């Protein structure tokens, strides 16, 4: 059974840093796509999660402009951990952060994901 578990969330002052981790059990992250999403504070509809970082098996990374240059997505060499280094955090970065991985295996990518349960990040201004 696939399980993704995030850790590393917490409270930090604006300008600070956090590193989120996502550990996979019974699974290695898919080369089709490995992701970090954020659900803004006060929002409980999961469909409102916003993409903050994407990594594919060829090493290509994608970030929205709002986090570009501040966030870095990476994975462990064994493919069972995904990380998100967040620097120069801003209050608008607050929210619940979810890791995700495409359910397919390259080249048979499915476009829908396994999800973790989320870890909360609070950035105080």
């Amino acid at each position: 059974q696939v399980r993704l578990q995030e850790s590393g969330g917490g409270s930090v002052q604006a300008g600070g840093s956090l590193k989120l981790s996502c550990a996979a059990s019974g699974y290695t992250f898919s080369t089709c796509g490995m992701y970090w999403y954020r659900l803004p504070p006060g929002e409980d509809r999961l469909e409102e999660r916003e993409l903050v970082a994407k990594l594919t098996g060829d090493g290509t990374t994608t970030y929205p402009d709002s986090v570009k240059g501040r966030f870095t997505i990476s994975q462990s060499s064994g493919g069972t951990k995904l990380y998100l280094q967040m620097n120069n955090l801003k209050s608008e970065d607050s929210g619940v952060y979810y890791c995700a991985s495409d359910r397919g295996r390259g080249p048979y990518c499915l476009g829908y994901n396994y999800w973790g349960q989320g870890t909360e990040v609070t950035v105080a201004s």
Side-chain angles (χ1 to χ4, degrees):
Q1 183 177 355
V2 174
R3 182 169 179 260
L4 304 181
Q5 181 64 60
E6 302 91 342
S7 61
S11 297
V12 64
Q13 293 290 316
S17 297
L18 282 174
K19 186 174 185 177
L20 305 183
S21 298
C22 179
S25 300
Y27 182 74
T28 54
F29 284 93
S30 172
T31 57
C32 292
M34 296 158 269
Y35 309 90
W36 286 97
Y37 283 80
R38 182 180 67 91
L39 187 66
E43 180 62 70
D44 59 3
R45 294 175 296 171
L46 295 181
E47 60 266 31
E48 297 302 318
R49 286 179 289 203
E50 304 166 348
L51 179 69
V52 295
K54 176 184 177 181
L55 173 65
T56 54
D58 64 357
T60 300
T61 57
T62 304
Y63 305 96
D65 288 343
S66 58
V67 307
K68 200 172 291 182
R70 300 188 297 120
F71 288 13
T72 303
I73 186 172
S74 61
Q75 68 170 146
S76 63
S77 58
T80 60
K81 288 192 176 181
L82 188 67
Y83 304 104
L84 184 67
Q85 177 68 49
M86 305 186 294
N87 298 327
N88 190 21
L89 282 160
K90 304 176 180 181
S91 58
E92 54 263 42
D93 296 321
S94 296
V96 179
Y97 283 73
Y98 296 84
C99 67
S101 179
D102 194 289
R103 291 195 179 218
R105 290 290 179 191
Y108 306 105
C109 302
L110 295 178
Y112 59 95
N113 297 328
Y114 292 111
W115 292 91
Q117 294 300 305
T119 185
E120 188 164 9
V121 171
T122 302
V123 183
S125 57

